[in-house]
Amino acid sequence: MRGDTTKNLLAEKSLVEHPFPPLYDKNSRILILGSFPSVMSRRTQFFYGHPQNRFWKVMAAVLGCEVPQTVEQKRHMLFFHGIAVWDVLQSCEIIGSSDASIVSPKPNDLSEIFSCADICAVYTNGTTSHNYYTRLCQPQTGMAAIRLPSTSPANAAWSLERLTEAWSVILEFLHLD
C-alpha cells in the first residue's frame, strides 16, 4: 500500500517555475529553445542535464569541438560560437520531465535576449518547444522558429549521426573560427 502512495505522489502534476536564467550575451546570433527543463536539468541548474540527452554531443559534433563536460566548458562553447540557449516556458504544471504532461504553460519573456543580441534565427529542440514557441512567443518576437528534431533520449528513432546532420543547419548563421 505504501509503495502505491509513493508512486501516486510522483505521478501528480505540480506547478514548476523555471529555476535558472537564459544563457546569452551580446554576441549571440542564434537562439535555441527547449520546452522546459527536465528534472535533472532543474537539479543541476543548467540546460540538458540528463546524461542521456544528446544535446551537448550534437552541438559539439556540429561545431567541431570536443564534447564539453563541465558547465563552464558548455557555456564557453556556446558563447564562443554565438549561441544563446533557453526554454520556451517560464512555468507549467508537469509530471516529472514529461513534455506530454504539460498543462497551464506560461511563456518566458524573450525580449531581454532579443534586445541585447542580434538574433538572426530561432531554433526549437523538438516539436513541443516548437508548438509552444509558435503559439506563445512568436507573436511577441515576430520571428518564426525552425523546428529541429529533439535531442531527448525519448526520441530514440533519431541516431546521433542523423541528429548531427539535421542540426547542422544552425551553421548558416554562425561564424566558425
Side-chain angles (χ1 to χ4, degrees):
M1 206 66 172
R2 183 178 172 161
D4 290 340
T5 303
T6 302
K7 185 177 179 180
N8 289 341
L9 289 174
L10 292 174
E12 288 181 16
K13 281 191 170 101
S14 58
L15 179 64
V16 182
E17 299 280 330
H18 201 296
F20 49 90
L23 182 66
Y24 70 97
D25 68 10
K26 65 182 171 91
N27 299 311
S28 298
R29 305 277 294 149
I30 68 167
L31 173 60
I32 298 172
L33 295 168
S35 54
F36 192 75
S38 69
V39 170
M40 285 299 294
S41 294
R42 296 191 304 259
R43 278 190 199 135
T44 63
Q45 295 288 295
F46 200 68
F47 302 95
Y48 304 102
H50 193 289
Q52 299 303 313
N53 192 299
R54 296 164 293 175
F55 180 82
W56 297 109
K57 289 178 184 176
V58 167
M59 293 304 296
V62 167
L63 299 171
C65 301
E66 293 290 319
V67 177
Q69 300 301 312
T70 67
V71 167
E72 190 51 43
Q73 290 171 344
K74 293 170 183 178
R75 290 173 57 87
H76 176 74
M77 180 180 75
L78 295 176
F79 282 149
F80 183 80
H81 291 98
I83 300 170
V85 176
W86 207 15
D87 294 300
V88 174
L89 300 181
Q90 185 271 327
S91 68
C92 63
E93 290 183 37
I94 188 169
I95 298 172
S97 301
S98 171
D99 279 356
S101 74
I102 292 173
V103 295
S104 304
K106 303 255 185 311
N108 270 315
D109 179 1
L110 303 178
S111 64
E112 179 183 325
I113 298 171
F114 279 86
S115 65
C116 173
D118 183 20
I119 300 296
C120 300
V122 175
Y123 296 92
T124 55
N125 188 347
T127 301
T128 301
S129 60
H130 187 78
N131 291 343
Y132 282 125
Y133 175 83
T134 301
R135 185 169 53 118
L136 302 172
C137 299
Q138 186 175 333
Q140 283 73 41
T141 66
M143 186 178 285
I146 298 163
R147 182 180 56 82
L148 296 173
S150 175
T151 59
S152 166
N155 186 15
W158 283 73
S159 67
L160 182 60
E161 182 179 279
R162 280 183 69 206
L163 285 170
T164 300
E165 184 179 328
W167 277 70
S168 292
V169 300
I170 71 170
L171 296 174
E172 177 181 353
F173 294 100
L174 299 179
H175 305 289
L176 298 180
D177 299 326

